Amino acid sequence: MTCTSHCSCCQSHLHRLRSVNVAMLEEINFYRKLLRLDPMSPDAFSPLPSQLTTTPSVVSNTVLRTARFESMPPEILDRIASFVDGDSIVQLCHSMPYFKYISKAMLDLANVFPEDFDQPEDLWPTFHMPSVVLIANLLWWEKMVIPTRHLYTLGMYSRTIERHGSYASVHCAVGLDDVLGALPDTLHISCPYETLDKSLYTLATAKKRILYLDILKGPADLDQAALSSAVTRLSRLPLNALSLKGATLPTEMYEALPNIIGLYCLQLESFGQCGGRILSRCANLNTVEFEHIELSPKLEEMVHEFIASIRTSTIRKLSFVNALSSGGGSGGSGRDMARIEITSMFGRRGWHRESSNGVSDLTFVYLQP
């Protein structure tokens, strides 16, 4: 019996195909909106055949052919690649010709610096500029000298990861002045405290977007003039996240925090390192992360004062990487008891414990009544 386009089975196939078509178009336009692109019209996107084929077997083949992964718009494919980790990106590039430009850019850069990039994870999705050397269990930073003839290759790879919304992680001792122009527009920066003033000046003049700035306290210190200059530059630098976990810094550095534009997350070494009254004046601050909190006779009073001082602030999350028992112990039973007591202190003041994320020992969120 010959199947026609008016029979019930073909009508059922056509209905399912149209449903798939509508769903695909809605998803594509969702991502186009995220990318600030104009929506695609149903006429421009029509993976369905103009007429239903007369045999069910041909209809099935048409669906497989038109729904291929490669047939998706480039902006969707680029978005998909941004979620792929370093272990899988090479396999993706080898399985789909569209993504060959990524593996080529990675290989070109690895060939230029064979001793520095030996794993895909060093390059994707975050590009880690090499500059840290471990010597006798201490961190030393070496300046990575990049010949001018290789800056083009570095720049091409930077543009590649920019296309996928990624960034470079750079230590300022890498010789930032020499390579900054070839780096992506979005950066994670680690900066020794003793070179902070110069580094902030370089970053400000380059007009890069700094998602994260980690200030590391080294053996040297800043003189008063350099400190004042660094505080001024820090206040004018738009930041999303700032880490001051390296060590206790001068009071002037903490007093500059409310002036930082867009500061959303702040990382500190210990609870009590920075007063809540300063943090409460940070207009956009949402999350404060502490490296550790130690159970002590004065902790209840410290928690009370801190919570009271940030009650009217925008802070909604407090995280502690390590909860220590009295005396700094981190043993099993003592640590469990510390978690329970600290959770109780925050809970009585309206801060509720969140499920562990595998990074922080304790995380509390404030739920407005």
Side-chain angles (χ1 to χ4, degrees), residues 126-172:
T126 301
F127 172 32
H128 296 276
M129 284 287 292
S131 62
V132 180
V133 179
L134 189 63
I135 301 178
N137 296 324
L138 297 174
L139 287 177
W140 295 75
W141 288 273
E142 291 186 348
K143 179 175 180 179
M144 182 181 181
V145 179
I146 300 180
T148 304
R149 67 181 182 277
H150 295 326
L151 290 179
Y152 174 80
T153 303
L154 176 60
M156 288 299 295
Y157 186 71
S158 295
R159 304 294 84 80
T160 299
I161 62 173
E162 270 184 359
R163 180 172 173 174
H164 298 275
S166 194
Y167 55 87
S169 178
V170 184
H171 194 284
C172 284

Coordinates of all heavy atoms in Angstrom, one line a residue, residues 126-172:
T126 N 40.3 28.3 30.6 CA 41.1 29.5 31.1 C 42.5 29.4 30.6 O 43.1 28.3 30.7 CB 41.1 29.5 32.6 OG1 39.7 29.6 33.1 CG2 41.8 30.7 33.1
F127 N 43.0 30.5 30.1 CA 44.4 30.5 29.6 C 45.3 30.9 30.7 O 45.3 32.1 31.2 CB 44.4 31.5 28.4 CG 45.8 31.8 27.9 CD1 46.8 30.8 28.0 CD2 46.1 33.0 27.4 CE1 48.1 31.1 27.5 CE2 47.4 33.3 26.9 CZ 48.4 32.3 27.0
H128 N 46.1 30.0 31.2 CA 47.0 30.3 32.3 C 48.4 30.7 31.8 O 49.2 29.8 31.3 CB 47.1 29.0 33.2 CG 45.9 28.6 33.9 ND1 45.4 29.2 35.0 CD2 44.9 27.7 33.5 CE1 44.2 28.7 35.4 NE2 43.9 27.8 34.5
M129 N 48.7 31.9 31.9 CA 50.0 32.4 31.5 C 51.1 31.9 32.5 O 51.0 32.1 33.7 CB 50.1 33.9 31.5 CG 49.4 34.5 30.3 SD 50.3 34.3 28.8 CE 51.8 35.4 29.1
P130 N 52.1 31.2 32.1 CA 53.1 30.6 33.0 C 54.0 31.7 33.6 O 54.5 32.5 32.8 CB 53.8 29.6 32.1 CG 53.7 30.1 30.8 CD 52.4 30.8 30.7
S131 N 54.2 31.6 34.9 CA 55.1 32.5 35.5 C 55.5 32.1 36.9 O 56.4 32.6 37.5 CB 54.6 34.0 35.6 OG 53.4 34.0 36.4
V132 N 54.8 31.1 37.4 CA 55.0 30.6 38.8 C 55.9 29.4 38.8 O 55.7 28.4 38.1 CB 53.7 30.3 39.5 CG1 53.9 29.9 40.9 CG2 52.8 31.5 39.5
V133 N 57.0 29.4 39.6 CA 57.9 28.3 39.7 C 58.0 27.9 41.2 O 58.1 28.8 42.1 CB 59.3 28.7 39.2 CG1 60.3 27.5 39.4 CG2 59.2 29.1 37.7
L134 N 57.9 26.6 41.5 CA 57.9 26.2 42.9 C 59.4 25.8 43.2 O 59.9 24.9 42.6 CB 57.0 25.0 43.1 CG 56.8 24.5 44.5 CD1 56.1 25.6 45.3 CD2 55.9 23.2 44.5
I135 N 59.9 26.5 44.2 CA 61.3 26.2 44.6 C 61.3 26.1 46.1 O 61.0 27.0 46.8 CB 62.3 27.3 44.1 CG1 62.2 27.5 42.6 CG2 63.7 27.0 44.6 CD1 63.1 28.6 42.1
A136 N 61.7 24.9 46.6 CA 61.8 24.6 48.0 C 60.5 25.0 48.7 O 60.5 25.6 49.8 CB 63.0 25.4 48.6
N137 N 59.4 24.6 48.1 CA 58.1 24.8 48.7 C 57.7 26.2 48.8 O 56.8 26.6 49.5 CB 57.9 24.1 50.0 CG 58.1 22.6 49.9 OD1 57.6 22.0 49.0 ND2 58.7 22.0 50.9
L138 N 58.4 27.1 48.1 CA 58.1 28.5 48.1 C 57.7 28.9 46.7 O 58.3 28.4 45.7 CB 59.2 29.4 48.6 CG 59.6 29.2 50.1 CD1 60.9 30.0 50.4 CD2 58.5 29.6 51.0
L139 N 56.8 29.9 46.6 CA 56.5 30.4 45.2 C 57.4 31.5 44.8 O 57.5 32.5 45.5 CB 55.0 30.9 45.2 CG 53.9 29.8 45.3 CD1 52.5 30.4 45.3 CD2 54.0 28.8 44.1
W140 N 58.0 31.4 43.6 CA 58.8 32.4 43.0 C 58.2 32.7 41.7 O 57.7 31.9 41.0 CB 60.2 31.9 42.9 CG 60.9 31.7 44.2 CD1 60.8 30.6 45.0 CD2 61.9 32.5 44.8 NE1 61.6 30.7 46.1 CE2 62.3 31.9 46.0 CE3 62.5 33.7 44.4 CZ2 63.2 32.4 46.8 CZ3 63.5 34.2 45.3 CH2 63.8 33.6 46.4
W141 N 58.2 34.0 41.3 CA 57.7 34.4 40.1 C 58.8 34.9 39.1 O 59.6 35.7 39.4 CB 56.7 35.6 40.3 CG 55.4 35.1 40.9 CD1 54.3 34.5 40.4 CD2 55.2 35.0 42.3 NE1 53.4 34.2 41.3 CE2 53.9 34.5 42.5 CE3 55.9 35.4 43.5 CZ2 53.3 34.3 43.8 CZ3 55.3 35.2 44.7 CH2 54.1 34.6 44.9
E142 N 58.8 34.2 38.0 CA 59.8 34.6 37.0 C 59.1 35.3 35.8 O 58.0 35.0 35.4 CB 60.4 33.3 36.4 CG 61.3 32.6 37.4 CD 62.0 31.4 36.7 OE1 61.6 31.1 35.6 OE2 62.9 30.9 37.3
K143 N 59.8 36.3 35.3 CA 59.3 37.0 34.1 C 59.4 36.1 32.9 O 60.5 35.6 32.6 CB 60.1 38.3 33.9 CG 59.6 39.1 32.7 CD 60.3 40.5 32.7 CE 59.9 41.3 31.5 NZ 60.5 42.6 31.4
M144 N 58.3 36.0 32.2 CA 58.3 35.2 31.0 C 58.6 36.1 29.8 O 57.8 37.0 29.5 CB 56.9 34.5 30.8 CG 56.8 33.6 29.6 SD 55.2 32.9 29.5 CE 55.4 31.9 28.0
V145 N 59.7 35.9 29.2 CA 60.1 36.8 28.1 C 59.5 36.2 26.8 O 59.8 35.1 26.4 CB 61.6 36.9 28.0 CG1 62.0 37.8 26.8 CG2 62.2 37.4 29.3
I146 N 58.7 37.0 26.1 CA 58.0 36.6 24.9 C 58.6 37.4 23.8 O 58.4 38.6 23.7 CB 56.5 36.8 25.0 CG1 55.9 36.0 26.2 CG2 55.8 36.4 23.7 CD1 54.4 36.1 26.3
P147 N 59.3 36.8 22.8 CA 59.8 37.5 21.7 C 58.7 38.2 20.9 O 57.6 37.7 20.8 CB 60.5 36.5 20.9 CG 60.8 35.3 21.8 CD 59.6 35.4 22.8
T148 N 59.0 39.4 20.3 CA 58.0 40.1 19.6 C 57.4 39.3 18.5 O 56.2 39.4 18.2 CB 58.6 41.4 19.0 OG1 59.2 42.2 20.1 CG2 57.6 42.2 18.3
R149 N 58.1 38.4 17.8 CA 57.6 37.7 16.7 C 56.5 36.7 17.2 O 55.8 36.1 16.3 CB 58.8 36.9 16.0 CG 59.4 35.8 16.9 CD 60.6 35.1 16.1 NE 61.2 34.1 16.9 CZ 62.1 34.2 17.8 NH1 62.5 35.5 18.1 NH2 62.6 33.2 18.5
H150 N 56.4 36.4 18.5 CA 55.4 35.4 19.0 C 54.2 36.1 19.5 O 53.2 35.4 19.9 CB 56.0 34.5 20.0 CG 57.1 33.6 19.6 ND1 57.1 33.1 18.3 CD2 58.3 33.2 20.2 CE1 58.2 32.4 18.1 NE2 58.9 32.4 19.3
L151 N 54.2 37.4 19.6 CA 53.0 38.1 20.1 C 51.8 38.0 19.3 O 50.7 38.0 19.8 CB 53.4 39.6 20.3 CG 54.4 40.0 21.4 CD1 54.6 41.5 21.5 CD2 53.8 39.5 22.8
Y152 N 52.0 37.8 18.0 CA 50.9 37.6 17.1 C 50.2 36.3 17.4 O 48.9 36.2 17.5 CB 51.3 37.6 15.6 CG 50.2 37.3 14.6 CD1 49.3 38.2 14.3 CD2 50.1 36.0 14.1 CE1 48.3 37.9 13.4 CE2 49.1 35.6 13.2 CZ 48.2 36.6 12.9 OH 47.2 36.3 12.0
T153 N 51.0 35.2 17.6 CA 50.4 33.9 17.9 C 49.6 34.0 19.3 O 48.5 33.5 19.4 CB 51.5 32.9 18.0 OG1 52.2 32.8 16.8 CG2 50.9 31.5 18.3
L154 N 50.2 34.7 20.2 CA 49.6 34.9 21.5 C 48.3 35.7 21.3 O 47.2 35.3 21.9 CB 50.5 35.6 22.5 CG 49.9 36.0 23.9 CD1 49.5 34.7 24.6 CD2 51.0 36.8 24.7
G155 N 48.3 36.7 20.5 CA 47.1 37.5 20.3 C 46.0 36.7 19.6 O 44.8 36.9 19.9
M156 N 46.4 35.9 18.6 CA 45.4 35.1 17.9 C 44.7 34.1 18.9 O 43.5 33.9 18.8 CB 46.0 34.3 16.8 CG 46.5 35.2 15.6 SD 45.0 36.0 14.9 CE 44.1 34.6 14.2
Y157 N 45.5 33.5 19.8 CA 44.8 32.6 20.7 C 43.9 33.4 21.7 O 42.9 32.9 22.1 CB 45.9 31.8 21.5 CG 45.2 30.8 22.4 CD1 44.6 29.6 21.8 CD2 45.1 30.9 23.8 CE1 43.9 28.7 22.6 CE2 44.4 30.0 24.5 CZ 43.8 28.9 24.0 OH 43.2 28.0 24.7
S158 N 44.4 34.6 22.1 CA 43.6 35.4 23.0 C 42.2 35.7 22.4 O 41.2 35.7 23.0 CB 44.3 36.7 23.4 OG 45.5 36.4 24.1
R159 N 42.2 36.0 21.1 CA 41.0 36.3 20.4 C 40.1 35.1 20.3 O 38.9 35.2 20.4 CB 41.2 36.8 19.0 CG 42.1 38.0 18.9 CD 41.6 39.3 19.4 NE 41.8 39.5 20.9 CZ 42.9 39.9 21.4 NH1 43.9 40.1 20.7 NH2 43.0 40.0 22.7
T160 N 40.7 33.9 20.2 CA 40.0 32.7 20.2 C 39.2 32.4 21.4 O 38.0 32.1 21.4 CB 40.9 31.5 19.9 OG1 41.5 31.7 18.6 CG2 40.1 30.2 19.8
I161 N 39.9 32.5 22.6 CA 39.1 32.3 23.9 C 38.2 33.4 24.2 O 37.1 33.2 24.8 CB 40.1 32.0 25.0 CG1 41.0 33.3 25.3 CG2 41.0 30.8 24.8 CD1 41.8 33.1 26.6
E162 N 38.5 34.6 23.7 CA 37.5 35.7 23.9 C 36.2 35.4 23.2 O 35.1 35.7 23.7 CB 38.1 37.0 23.3 CG 38.9 37.9 24.3 CD 39.3 39.2 23.6 OE1 39.0 39.4 22.4 OE2 40.0 39.9 24.3
R163 N 36.3 34.8 22.0 CA 35.1 34.4 21.3 C 34.2 33.5 22.1 O 33.0 33.5 21.8 CB 35.5 33.7 20.0 CG 34.4 33.3 19.0 CD 35.0 32.8 17.8 NE 34.1 32.2 16.9 CZ 34.3 31.8 15.6 NH1 35.5 32.0 15.1 NH2 33.4 31.3 14.9
H164 N 34.8 32.8 23.0 CA 34.0 31.8 23.8 C 33.8 32.3 25.2 O 33.5 31.5 26.1 CB 34.6 30.5 23.8 CG 34.7 29.9 22.4 ND1 33.7 29.1 21.9 CD2 35.7 29.9 21.5 CE1 34.0 28.8 20.7 NE2 35.2 29.2 20.4
G165 N 34.0 33.6 25.5 CA 33.7 34.2 26.7 C 34.7 33.9 27.8 O 34.4 34.0 29.0
S166 N 35.9 33.4 27.5 CA 36.9 33.0 28.5 C 37.8 34.2 28.7 O 37.7 35.3 28.2 CB 37.6 31.8 28.1 OG 38.3 31.2 29.1
Y167 N 38.9 33.9 29.5 CA 39.8 34.9 30.0 C 41.2 34.3 30.2 O 41.3 33.1 30.2 CB 39.3 35.5 31.3 CG 39.0 34.5 32.4 CD1 40.0 34.2 33.3 CD2 37.7 34.0 32.5 CE1 39.8 33.2 34.3 CE2 37.5 33.1 33.5 CZ 38.5 32.7 34.4 OH 38.3 31.8 35.4
A168 N 42.1 35.2 30.5 CA 43.5 34.7 30.8 C 43.8 35.0 32.3 O 43.3 36.0 32.9 CB 44.5 35.4 30.0
S169 N 44.5 34.0 32.9 CA 44.9 34.2 34.3 C 46.4 34.5 34.3 O 47.2 33.7 33.8 CB 44.7 32.9 35.1 OG 45.1 33.0 36.4
V170 N 46.7 35.7 34.8 CA 48.1 36.3 34.6 C 48.6 36.7 36.0 O 47.9 37.3 36.8 CB 48.0 37.4 33.6 CG1 49.5 37.9 33.4 CG2 47.4 37.0 32.3
H171 N 49.9 36.5 36.2 CA 50.6 37.0 37.3 C 51.4 38.3 36.8 O 52.0 38.2 35.8 CB 51.6 36.0 37.9 CG 52.1 36.5 39.3 ND1 53.0 37.4 39.4 CD2 51.7 36.1 40.5 CE1 53.3 37.6 40.7 NE2 52.5 36.8 41.4
C172 N 51.3 39.4 37.5 CA 51.9 40.6 37.1 C 53.4 40.5 36.9 O 53.9 41.3 36.2 CB 51.5 41.8 38.0 SG 49.8 42.3 37.8

